[in-house]
Amino acid sequence: MTTNTVLFLLINGLTNGAIYALLGLGLVLIYNVTRVINIAQGEFVMLGALTAVGLTGGAAVGGIHLAIAAGVVWVALEAFRRRAWFLIPVALIAGAALWWLVRQLEPFHLPPLAAAALATVVVAFLGAAIYRITIQPAARASELVFLIITTGIFLAVEGLGLLFWGPSSFSFPTVHAGGLALGAAQISYQSLLVFAATLILLFLVWLLLERSLLGKALRACAMNRLGARLVGISPERAGLLAFAISAGLSAVAGVLIAPITYATYDMGLFLGLKGFVGAVVGGLSGYGGAVLGGLAVGVLEAYAFYAVSAYGEAIVFALIIVILLIRALTQRRARVA
C-alpha cells in the first residue's frame, strides 16, 4: 500500500465517518433523553436525501406528503387526548387542502440549497411526529418494546419510501465539481462540504446542549426524568425535541451524502447500522464519543474494504461484538473489585 493510497483511504474514510458521526450523534441524543434505541435512524437519512431530490424536481416529493399525513394523525391524537373532537374534521380538511396544494405545485424546481433546507425542516417535523404517534403513547414501555417499535417504524418508512420513489436511484447536485489536490491524492469539494457541515453542526449541537436553557432541559431529562418533571420540565416535550433534532441531523447527512452515493429508498439501513456501531463504540451516552466512534468506523470501513472487500461490511459490524465483549468483561471486573 503506497502513501497515496493510505491518504486516499483516510480521506474517504473520514468523509463517510463524518456522516456516521451525525447519525451517531442523533442516536445518542434520542437514547439519552428517551431511552429509545432508534433502529429507524437511517430512514431519516433516506427521507432527507429523497425529499431534497424531489424539491429540485428530480423525483416525487413523498416526504412532504408523508409529513402532511403524519401531521393529520398527530392532531387527531391530540383531539382524542383533549376531548376536542372538532379538531379531527379541521385536521382532515387542512390536510386534504395541503395535499391538493402540493399536487398543484408539483414538480418543484427549488435551488439545491433551498431544497436541502426545506427537506431538513420537513424531516425534522416527521421525526417529532413519529415520536408523538409511536413512542409517546408507550412512554412507560421497556427498552425492548421501544426496540420493537422502532424496528416497525423502519419497516414502515422503508416500505413507504419504495411506494413513493420506487427502486430507482436519484442524484442530487454537488456543491461544485472537482476538488483540491492534497499531495498526489485529491479531496473533492463535496467531501470538504461534508467535513465543514459536520463541524458546524457539531458546534451548534454543543451550543444548544451546553449554552442554552433548552439544552439544559434536555440534559436534565437525560439524567433524571422524574427529577426533571418535578422542576417543571416536560419529558414528552424533551422527547419531541430530541427526535426533531436527531431527524434533522440525519436529513442533513442524507443531503450531504446523496451527491456521492446517490439516493435510494433502501439507503438508510446500512447507514443507520454503521451510525449505531459508531455510537456504541463511543459509549452510547457521550456525544463526543459518538462523533469519534463514527469517524473510527468510517476509517476502519475504508481500509477493510481495501484489504478484504468481500468482508468489509462484516469487519465493521463485528466491531460491535468486540466492543460489547470488552465492556462486559470490564464491568464484570469492576463489580468483582
Side-chain angles (χ1 to χ4, degrees):
M1 187 185 295
T2 64
T3 305
N4 292 334
T5 304
V6 171
L7 192 57
F8 171 78
L9 292 175
L10 182 63
I11 293 170
N12 187 45
L14 289 175
T15 304
N16 291 331
I19 299 298
Y20 304 152
L22 288 176
L23 283 164
L25 195 63
L27 277 164
V28 169
L29 180 62
I30 287 179
Y31 181 72
N32 280 346
V33 175
T34 65
R35 295 295 164 193
V36 173
I37 295 177
N38 186 18
I39 299 297
Q41 190 70 24
E43 297 312 294
F44 295 135
V45 178
M46 177 272 287
L47 287 171
L50 287 175
T51 302
V53 172
L55 288 169
T56 58
V61 287
I64 293 181
H65 292 305
L66 199 56
I68 293 171
V72 171
V73 175
W74 187 344
V75 174
L77 285 175
E78 289 298 321
F80 275 109
R81 188 174 70 86
R82 301 179 183 182
R83 300 290 189 268
W85 308 114
F86 71 95
L87 285 176
I88 295 178
V90 170
L92 289 172
I93 293 170
L98 280 173
W99 193 291
W100 175 83
L101 181 62
V102 171
R103 293 300 300 268
Q104 294 302 308
L105 293 175
E106 283 185 287
F108 293 85
H109 293 290
L110 297 182
L113 186 59
L118 184 55
T120 302
V121 173
V122 168
V123 176
F125 173 78
L126 270 172
I130 285 174
Y131 170 81
R132 176 63 186 88
I133 295 168
T134 62
I135 303 296
Q136 189 175 324
R140 298 180 184 279
S142 66
E143 292 184 11
L144 178 61
V145 172
F146 285 138
L147 200 64
I148 295 170
I149 290 174
T150 56
T151 302
I153 295 170
F154 157 72
L155 293 172
V157 174
E158 188 175 80
L160 288 170
L162 179 60
L163 178 67
F164 283 125
W165 292 289
S168 304
S169 59
F170 301 92
S171 64
F172 190 69
T174 59
V175 60
H176 196 281
L180 292 176
L182 193 62
Q186 190 176 50
I187 178 168
S188 67
Y189 290 123
Q190 187 64 32
S191 295
L192 288 174
L193 177 64
V194 171
F195 294 137
T198 302
L199 289 174
I200 291 171
L201 286 171
L202 293 178
F203 178 67
L204 291 177
V205 170
W206 177 81
L207 275 183
L208 173 70
L209 293 176
E210 300 292 336
R211 294 288 186 269
S212 74
L213 194 60
L214 209 57
K216 290 175 182 175
L218 287 176
R219 288 164 52 204
C221 287
M223 287 186 275
N224 189 327
R225 289 172 67 85
L226 179 59
R229 190 184 290 279
L230 288 174
V231 297
I233 299 171
S234 169
E236 289 77 19
R237 290 182 183 174
L240 276 177
L241 186 61
F243 262 80
I245 294 172
S246 177
L249 287 173
S250 297
V252 173
V255 172
L256 289 172
I257 203 171
I260 300 174
T261 64
Y262 291 97
T264 61
Y265 81 97
D266 59 350
M267 66 186 291
L269 174 60
F270 282 102
L271 288 172
L273 288 176
K274 289 170 187 172
F276 177 69
V277 173
V280 171
V281 169
L284 202 57
S285 59
Y287 301 105
V291 172
L292 293 177
L295 292 174
V297 168
V299 173
L300 174 67
E301 179 189 39
Y303 286 104
F305 268 107
Y306 178 81
V308 279
S309 59
Y311 302 102
E313 300 279 4
I315 290 173
V316 170
F317 292 123
L319 182 64
I320 196 169
I321 300 174
V322 175
I323 295 295
L324 290 177
L325 281 174
I326 291 173
R327 286 206 181 141
L329 290 172
T330 306
Q331 289 173 358
R332 185 177 177 183
R333 285 181 183 174
R335 282 198 296 271
V336 170

